[in-house]
Amino acid sequence: MADLLLELFSEEIPARMQAGAARDLERLVVGALTDRGLLFEAAKAFYGPRRLTLVINGLPIRQPDVSEELKGPKVDAPAAAIEGFLKKSGLTREQLTVQETPKGKVYLAVIKRDGRPTADVLSEVLPECMAKLPWPKSMRWPQKSNQPVRWVRPLHSILCTLDGEIVPFTFAGIGSSNRTRGHRFLSSGFITASRFEDYARKLREAHVVLDAEERKAIIFEGVKSAAFVHGLEMIPDEGLLDEVAGLNEWPVVLIGAIEDQFMDVPAEILQTSMRTHQKYFSLRDPKTGKFANRFAVVANMVAEDGGKTIVAGNERVLRARLSDAKFFWDQDRKTKLEDRVAALGGIVFHAKLGTQLERVERIEALAGEIAEKIGADMKKAKRAARLAKADLTTGVVGEFPELQGVMGRYYALNDGEDAEVADAVRDHYKPQGPNDRVPSDKVAIAVALADKFDIISTFFAVDERPTGSGDPFALRRAALGIIRILLDNRISLLLQPLIAFGRRSLRRSSATAALKYRDEAVPYVLEEGDTSFKKFEILWLNKWGPIGDRLPTHEEILEAVLFAIPDTEPVIFVSVRNVSEDGFAPIYEVPGRLVADETQRSSVLVLSKDDTIAFFADRLKVALREKGTRHDLIDAVFSLGNEDDLVRLVARVEALQVFLKSDDGANLLVGYKRAANILKIEEKKDDQRFDEPVSLLLCTEPAEEALANALYNALPIINDAIDKENFAAAMREMSALRAPVDAFFDKVKVNADDKAVRANRLNLLGSLRATLHQVADFSKIEG
Amino acid sequence: MPKAKTFQDLILTLQNYWASKGCLILQPYDDNMGAGTFHPATTLRALGPRPWRAAFVQPSRRPKDGRYGENPNRLQHYYQYQVIMKPAPADIQDLYLDSLRAIGLDPMQHDIRFVEDDWESPTLGAWGLGWEVWCDGMEISQFTYFQQVGGFDCDPVCGEITYGLERLAMYIQDVEFVYDLKFNEDFRYGEVFHQAEKEFSAYNFEVADTDILFQHFKDAEKQCQELVSGNKKLALPAYDQCIKASHTFNLLDARGVISVTERAAYIARVRALAKACCEAWLETEQGRYTPRFG
């Protein structure tokens, strides 16, 4: 058994790429070895600023020998065939064996292949693996090789040994060796190492901690204990810890001071500035939680003066940084948030969706609607929505976009806004991720929901959906946010009207935009250079038909936009038709997006079909999967089409899940599937649906009549229970159907000879189907 | 090692240091430009197969960064020190670190770090991978391996180092306000440049005649295009016009007369010029491969 040690030593690798590269290296090498029959005991990859290291323990020193059997022609086959087989197998006739088969005697070639030494295989596959390593960004540099390769930064040396011996190969013009280097400043010359233990020890002596996890622990403990000395504690920051561990080979924690003049700047600004620009850890008082006037910086250096110069330098840089931040903070407070709202009209939110101001106006209106529905203070909700995006025009948020909302709250309080309004300004972005807090104050909930419903409904309306590969506008996160807000706060709200609201606002604002430019030349511009359009007709779906071969008036357009189409239809609110001289010409539908000319003068908008509800269903499945909720049950309830109150929907799904786990539930599902199958076949045969009322007079069998009665009795009770949102009771009632259904299938032949009896029995099954569908679409349930 | 005590000491030390490493010590280019990378000794010489090593100070104009002489470290005119080496030597990082030692920044006393920062110039159609170099948390240099200029691959790849001289000097001299820097033992930086900062800030933001500038831009663009059209291939004069167009655009931008959408279009126009100049350069004797000693 032998151990492989591989180290790729380069110039500084970006911190964010190191862990991924180590994983990829391990995956590629392990894959290549396994493919070649080289199995091993353990593999581990390490990473740091200047090196990727891979250790594979317990490799065999040779590949296993393999023997392969090759079936040949019959013994009495023509000579040419046998010659061909010899050629193919590389054996002589004497080396062939003869095998008895049902077809007679045939030749068999047993080809033995000796396994190659592992070192040879490694020499071959390692350069291939390195060439395949997928860096997010890679570069060329001058190489002593005819076939230059790409790497993240120039590669300087390759250490590669197997069982202590160098594995010879060349990559990027660099020959492998057993040498490497230590810390850039705290060591000099080369280190020679052939085995991992030796390598790790010598690196440590040369001031390199190989394992990023160990570096993280050193930093974490170091910051903790250095803070403790000052009576402080570290504000945990996992992401920063990862990054800093990628910037150091020999982390040394130092503590610096923040000048008092900055301490009345909000802590979030100080922390973000220190984190983003300087990679400093922030500290706080463990008793009060108050942000401390000290920071922790992690140097990659044991300086001769104990770090005094380094701390002084860092304090100096921080002073300049915080002066900038303080300047913005002071400047920003000179203008009220309210007075910043108008400036949002100059910021494009999205080319198809207009400015931030238009967005704010939509959110404001929607927040008012929602506030009314959930019993929040409507005035406050609208006020908070109005101010929600105003901080985007401030200096601090310009510098640190991640402080949006947080700064809005500070400025709102500074302006003397209501505290609840200020909190809602901050919280309307929440929850930002699975670990973020969900707003619980009603005003904040109203604005947070309005913001999210607006973004989802409008982006869907202009056909900017998330795709498999990307979700640039974070619509999935918004949908999950809505789901969490509704479920965590147990708020009953119908989704569809809120989605419709966003679409309606969008149409209203684009119509208004069109009206605003009424005196400009052409109100509508088509995208594809349609110079042939001399005359226009306007058509809209609820007033189908041309209005005449003239340019439509703005009032007509506005009417079309505002009152055109039910929201769930595929919405094409305006089509422009070319009336050519020879009479009829095809209808050109404007592409499904807002089209505006360079001066933003005119617009035509076609909203795409609303499939937002299906999107929510998908998100809900993701959200509930972790709780162990079955996705098919969510589909079954969603596809009824009448349930888009998430709280109720989840209660229904949960009741259904419990029901199906019961004996009665499982059996009833079997009965349902049987009924549905029979109906499917017979309905196809007869080309009709069996959903007529059942006639008791036509029931000839007791089991048949029993089922009819059971259904007749159950239906009102089930409906009543559902109306009262008592799903457990509805399920209980369905349980009672199990016995009559089982008895029916046991005793009754559905396809009776008498036509009327047969139809009645099929109607009876149809009635069972309809009854169960009151609760969920059972056909979507798996199993 | 003694610290570079004054601003000009810093420059002289860097000049001597890079001269000793075989760099041509060139002088600043005589056109207004936003950064040392616009110097033809960088932009054009980065292309083509011929070896090249040069170092120079380049006055850099950033009209938008003017603060009327009131900001502690923002200037609309400042100095960059630029080093370009083609092909990039294998030990270029060590050469750079030695230059820090030369100016008195001892890596054994400080915390020197190479932090990911890739460089891109949309106006030059150029990009490269590299780092910003930190000294005790402060960015003191930009270090880039050029991959493309004007849309053309750099082959061989060159290494480029840019020192922000004022910022570096402020660090070495422990000065918080740029105008307090000692230029030499007798003069402060403010005595040399404060007046200019005030006047040029006013010019950049308020006074510059935008009609004239728009015309300048058009003229430069037209002249540049003509110089590389047909068989003329006058890459260097054409490139001067490209530099002028770029700076004129920066002035217009500072005057606030270019909208967000126009901005992208102007950058694309300058990039088209840069690209055409680079293409023409690759056809010249110096841009093409010709044996150096043959």
Side-chain angles (χ1 to χ4, degrees):
Chain A
M1 289 292 131
D3 296 341
L4 168 72
L5 172 61
L6 173 68
E7 184 209 62
L8 309 170
F9 179 79
S10 69
E11 296 177 13
E12 278 77 356
I13 306 167
R16 65 189 171 96
M17 299 178 189
Q18 294 165 12
R23 264 198 310 276
D24 286 333
L25 181 67
E26 177 178 334
R27 174 180 56 81
L28 288 166
V29 174
V30 161
L33 293 181
T34 318
D35 284 350
R36 287 162 182 75
L38 288 167
L39 305 179
F40 54 87
E41 281 159 15
K44 187 163 167 58
F46 301 90
Y47 58 87
R50 293 209 292 168
R51 61 197 90 224
L52 298 179
T53 302
L54 177 65
V55 187
I56 299 185
N57 301 113
L59 275 170
I61 50 171
R62 302 184 75 84
Q63 284 175 310
D65 298 340
V66 286
S67 73
E68 191 187 348
E69 288 187 355
L70 210 57
K71 268 211 175 98
K74 284 189 183 174
V75 174
D76 52 2
I82 294 171
E83 277 306 309
F85 183 62
L86 290 176
K87 212 168 185 183
K88 186 177 159 199
S89 62
L91 301 182
T92 62
R93 192 181 286 230
E94 290 71 44
Q95 289 170 308
L96 297 180
T97 50
V98 176
Q99 194 182 27
E100 289 284 356
T101 73
K103 287 180 194 162
K105 288 181 175 177
V106 296
Y107 278 119
L108 189 72
V110 180
I111 303 165
K112 286 199 171 137
R113 237 181 248 124
D114 292 344
R116 297 166 63 204
T118 303
D120 292 359
V121 177
L122 286 168
S123 295
E124 206 172 278
V125 300
L126 290 179
E128 289 169 13
C129 292
M130 290 163 68
K132 272 191 230 156
L133 198 103
W135 294 103
K137 261 179 169 182
S138 63
M139 59 170 274
R140 297 172 292 112
W141 73 97
Q143 294 167 22
K144 293 182 191 117
S145 162
N146 294 327
Q147 287 170 307
V149 292
R150 300 178 76 92
W151 201 249
V152 64
R153 292 292 184 277
L155 190 68
H156 279 270
S157 65
I158 299 165
L159 180 154
C160 188
T161 63
L162 180 71
D163 203 18
E165 299 292 321
I166 295 172
V167 177
F169 66 90
T170 304
F171 179 77
I174 299 164
S176 56
S177 71
N178 57 1
R179 293 199 311 177
T180 183
R181 287 174 180 276
H183 188 279
R184 193 184 264 290
F185 303 114
L186 294 171
S187 78
S188 59
F190 289 102
I191 293 167
T192 307
S194 307
R195 293 180 191 276
F196 179 71
E197 293 68 29
D198 198 31
Y199 166 81
R201 183 177 53 77
K202 283 178 175 163
L203 275 186
R204 194 178 295 274
E205 284 165 12
H207 288 89
V208 174
V209 179
L210 179 65
D211 190 345
E213 291 307 318
E214 189 186 343
R215 291 197 302 276
K216 273 194 240 174
I218 292 171
I219 295 165
F220 184 78
E221 291 304 323
V223 174
K224 226 168 84 180
S225 57
F228 185 76
V229 172
H230 292 87
L232 301 171
E233 68 177 6
M234 157 185 206
I235 299 177
D237 192 336
E238 201 56 43
L240 183 61
L241 188 59
D242 283 341
E243 186 178 1
V244 171
L247 291 170
N248 291 281
E249 292 207 305
W250 192 259
V252 176
V253 175
L254 300 167
I255 298 285
I258 305 171
E259 282 185 9
D260 281 345
Q261 58 158 320
F262 302 116
M263 292 309 291
D264 57 353
V265 175
E268 290 92 338
I269 302 182
L270 300 178
Q271 185 176 1
T272 308
S273 177
M274 296 204 295
R275 173 189 213 280
T276 318
H277 293 305
Q278 302 300 137
K279 324 286 180 209
Y280 299 159
F281 289 93
S282 297
L283 308 176
R284 68 183 168 206
D285 185 322
K287 283 179 226 94
T288 62
K290 208 172 153 261
F291 196 80
N293 62 347
R294 292 274 189 288
F295 64 90
V297 53
V298 184
N300 185 35
M301 192 65 202
V302 185
E304 288 161 0
D305 65 357
K308 264 195 208 124
T309 314
I310 296 175
V311 169
N314 277 288
E315 286 175 345
R316 230 184 86 102
V317 183
L318 186 63
R319 206 176 308 136
R321 288 284 186 201
L322 296 186
S323 299
D324 275 358
K326 185 177 159 57
F327 173 79
F328 286 134
W329 165 241
D330 291 340
Q331 281 303 111
D332 286 347
R333 283 178 300 161
K334 289 179 186 163
T335 308
K336 285 192 164 190
L337 274 188
E338 184 179 282
D339 298 333
R340 293 179 177 276
V341 175
L344 294 172
I347 303 174
V348 174
F349 167 56
H350 181 275
K352 297 176 198 169
L353 297 174
T355 67
Q356 290 282 11
L357 181 59
E358 289 171 81
R359 179 185 177 206
V360 162
E361 281 164 353
R362 290 195 303 267
I363 296 172
E364 189 180 351
L366 186 51
E369 289 274 307
I370 295 175
E372 206 182 353
K373 286 191 211 291
I374 65 171
D377 184 321
M378 191 165 147
K379 261 183 141 173
K380 286 186 187 176
K382 290 181 83 161
R383 180 70 182 162
R386 178 116 196 121
L387 301 176
K389 308 292 178 189
D391 66 355
L392 295 179
T393 68
T394 64
V396 172
V397 175
E399 183 78 2
F400 305 114
E402 64 267 48
L403 289 181
Q404 62 181 11
V406 172
M407 292 318 300
R409 175 175 167 275
Y410 278 114
Y411 298 132
L413 289 175
N414 187 64
D415 294 350
E417 298 287 344
D418 179 86
E420 216 179 345
V421 169
D423 284 348
V425 167
R426 177 190 61 200
D427 292 344
H428 85 280
Y429 289 106
K430 290 180 183 296
Q432 292 274 36
N435 301 319
D436 196 17
R437 188 170 60 80
V438 170
S440 54
D441 176 86
K442 280 192 172 171
V443 174
I445 289 172
V447 186
L449 288 175
D451 185 40
K452 293 170 178 61
F453 272 112
D454 178 70
I455 197 172
I456 293 173
S457 59
T458 54
F459 275 102
F460 267 72
V462 296
D463 212 13
E464 289 279 4
R465 292 167 172 70
T467 62
S469 57
D471 182 13
F473 308 107
L475 302 186
R476 289 195 185 105
R477 189 171 73 193
L480 269 175
I482 291 174
I483 290 167
R484 283 187 59 203
I485 292 173
L486 293 178
L487 295 184
D488 285 14
N489 292 295
R490 305 202 61 78
I491 294 175
S492 284
L493 265 185
L494 297 179
L495 303 181
Q496 192 64 61
L498 298 176
I499 292 162
F501 193 94
R503 295 167 70 87
R504 208 159 50 236
S505 312
L506 189 62
R507 293 197 313 215
R508 189 175 297 125
S509 65
S510 62
T512 314
L515 270 183
K516 208 160 59 188
Y517 298 109
R518 58 174 305 156
D519 297 329
E520 306 283 339
V522 183
Y524 295 95
V525 173
L526 299 179
E527 225 205 4
E528 321 268 339
D530 300 283
T531 47
S532 61
F533 283 73
K534 298 278 188 271
K535 291 177 178 176
F536 297 90
E537 292 178 317
I538 181 164
L539 309 154
W540 55 86
L541 293 183
N542 67 337
K543 281 194 173 185
W544 190 256
I547 52 156
D549 57 351
R550 60 179 167 84
L551 219 56
T553 67
H554 290 283
E555 283 69 22
E556 281 168 337
I557 292 160
L558 184 63
E559 192 193 350
V561 172
L562 287 183
F563 305 108
I565 325 291
D567 286 290
T568 46
E569 293 293 309
V571 182
I572 303 166
F573 74 78
V574 58
S575 299
V576 184
R577 191 156 79 155
N578 185 9
V579 183
S580 61
E581 267 119 54
D582 55 11
F584 194 79
I587 293 170
Y588 290 84
E589 281 166 4
V590 179
R593 53 206 185 93
L594 184 72
V595 188
D597 69 4
E598 274 189 3
T599 59
Q600 305 275 316
R601 199 166 51 223
S602 45
S603 51
V604 172
L605 183 68
V606 177
L607 302 187
S608 61
K609 185 177 177 323
D610 184 8
D611 48 5
T612 327
I613 286 293
F615 174 66
F616 269 102
D618 278 348
R619 290 300 98 198
L620 189 64
K621 281 182 231 167
V622 174
L624 295 183
R625 189 183 297 147
E626 287 155 25
K627 292 189 188 169
T629 309
R630 284 168 54 179
H631 64 93
D632 56 329
L633 301 190
I634 298 172
D635 270 340
V637 175
F638 247 120
S639 66
L640 294 178
N642 61 2
E643 185 58 283
D644 67 347
D645 169 347
L646 295 182
V647 174
R648 222 163 51 203
L649 185 141
V650 169
R652 206 184 258 234
V653 169
E654 280 167 359
L656 188 59
Q657 186 153 346
V658 170
F659 174 61
L660 288 172
K661 271 188 194 149
S662 74
D663 213 34
D664 284 343
N667 273 300
L668 189 64
L669 178 64
V670 173
Y672 166 87
K673 296 238 156 177
R674 204 162 151 192
N677 268 335
I678 294 171
L679 283 168
K680 196 173 151 197
I681 294 164
E682 301 306 317
E683 285 180 339
K684 196 175 171 197
K685 206 186 282 169
D686 291 22
D687 194 22
Q688 71 160 103
R689 254 183 96 75
F690 291 102
D691 47 12
E692 301 285 314
V694 175
S695 160
L696 278 177
L697 294 175
L698 285 168
C699 292
T700 57
E701 301 278 341
E704 191 179 1
E705 197 174 331
L707 178 59
N709 278 323
L711 285 170
Y712 183 79
N713 293 331
L715 190 60
I717 300 173
I718 291 172
N719 280 340
D720 188 50
I722 289 173
D723 280 350
K724 290 182 177 138
E725 301 188 15
N726 188 348
F727 302 110
M731 303 294 164
R732 247 193 330 273
E733 195 53 36
M734 292 204 313
S735 301
L737 294 175
R738 178 206 166 172
V741 169
D742 285 355
F744 176 86
F745 281 119
D746 237 22
K747 302 266 160 56
V748 182
K749 183 182 158 209
V750 177
N751 278 318
D753 297 333
D754 183 307
K755 268 188 180 171
V757 171
R758 170 179 170 268
N760 196 52
R761 285 176 183 169
L762 287 168
N763 280 328
L764 183 57
L765 292 184
S767 165
L768 170 66
R769 177 174 65 186
T771 304
L772 296 192
H773 279 202
Q774 294 299 312
V775 175
D777 181 348
F778 274 62
S779 69
K780 302 272 191 217
I781 299 173
E782 291 164 8
Chain B
M1 55 209 86
K3 282 191 176 176
K5 283 203 202 83
T6 66
F7 192 63
Q8 69 189 36
D9 275 348
L10 174 62
I11 295 173
L12 292 170
T13 310
L14 287 173
Q15 297 280 56
N16 285 325
Y17 175 80
W18 287 107
S20 77
K21 302 299 169 194
C23 287
L24 294 158
I25 301 301
L26 297 178
Q27 301 305 319
Y29 203 63
D30 56 343
D31 252 318
N32 292 341
M33 54 181 66
T37 42
F38 274 85
H39 197 306
T42 298
T43 309
L44 298 180
R45 294 284 179 173
L47 291 170
R50 284 173 176 260
W52 183 251
R53 283 188 176 196
F56 51 89
V57 175
Q58 182 58 48
S60 303
R61 304 258 194 163
R62 303 259 168 105
K64 254 187 164 171
D65 284 351
R67 293 293 182 273
Y68 297 85
E70 284 166 16
N71 187 282
N73 49 30
R74 267 186 200 261
L75 302 163
Q76 59 82 42
H77 170 286
Y78 69 105
Y79 286 124
Q80 284 190 347
Y81 195 86
Q82 167 116 135
V83 181
I84 175 138
M85 302 180 106
K86 183 176 81 172
D91 62 347
I92 186 166
Q93 277 189 315
D94 293 328
L95 293 177
Y96 167 74
L97 291 171
D98 277 341
S99 80
L100 295 185
R101 292 184 180 99
I103 57 176
L105 287 181
D106 176 6
M108 300 308 285
Q109 295 286 357
H110 295 277
D111 182 30
I112 309 283
R113 232 80 77 73
F114 290 83
V115 181
E116 176 190 16
D117 190 33
D118 300 333
W119 172 78
E120 189 184 12
S121 168
T123 30
L124 288 176
W127 66 278
L129 299 194
W131 310 273
E132 51 185 44
V133 184
W134 286 15
C135 174
D136 303 336
M138 189 180 71
E139 183 192 343
I140 51 168
S141 304
Q142 190 76 36
F143 195 126
T144 308
Y145 290 103
F146 275 20
Q147 300 292 300
Q148 277 196 332
V149 174
F152 296 95
D153 279 352
C154 298
D155 188 14
V157 168
C158 59
E160 181 248 16
I161 300 164
T162 303
Y163 306 75
L165 288 174
E166 283 82 356
R167 196 197 282 235
L168 194 52
M170 284 166 76
Y171 193 71
I172 296 170
Q173 295 183 31
D174 196 11
V175 160
E176 303 263 328
F177 202 62
V178 63
Y179 300 106
D180 292 339
L181 277 176
K182 284 177 169 180
F183 208 111
N184 69 2
E185 289 298 339
D186 302 321
F187 290 91
R188 301 273 159 175
Y189 192 91
E191 291 175 81
V192 186
F193 283 121
H194 192 254
Q195 184 66 28
E197 281 300 313
K198 280 200 296 192
E199 292 188 10
F200 275 101
S201 294
Y203 170 76
N204 297 340
F205 289 125
E206 303 162 42
V207 186
D209 186 320
T210 53
D211 290 340
I212 294 179
L213 288 174
F214 277 121
Q215 192 58 47
H216 278 351
F217 186 91
K218 276 188 220 152
D219 290 346
E221 184 181 42
K222 186 162 171 244
Q223 181 72 84
C224 179
Q225 285 162 346
E226 278 170 10
L227 291 172
V228 290
S229 67
N231 291 324
K232 289 194 213 62
K233 305 282 177 214
L234 296 174
L236 290 163
Y239 184 65
D240 275 7
Q241 299 302 318
C242 170
I243 295 173
K244 285 186 211 296
S246 170
H247 180 63
T248 308
F249 159 70
N250 287 340
L251 280 170
L252 285 165
D253 198 21
R255 288 286 277 116
V257 292
I258 292 184
S259 76
V260 180
T261 35
E262 286 173 314
R263 209 169 174 276
Y266 270 97
I267 290 173
R269 281 164 76 179
V270 179
R271 183 166 59 239
L273 299 181
K275 212 176 154 166
C277 295
C278 291
E279 193 175 3
W281 167 257
L282 286 165
E283 300 283 309
T284 63
E285 193 186 320
Q286 285 294 316
R288 268 202 325 258
Y289 179 74
T290 40
R292 213 172 161 214
F293 309 101

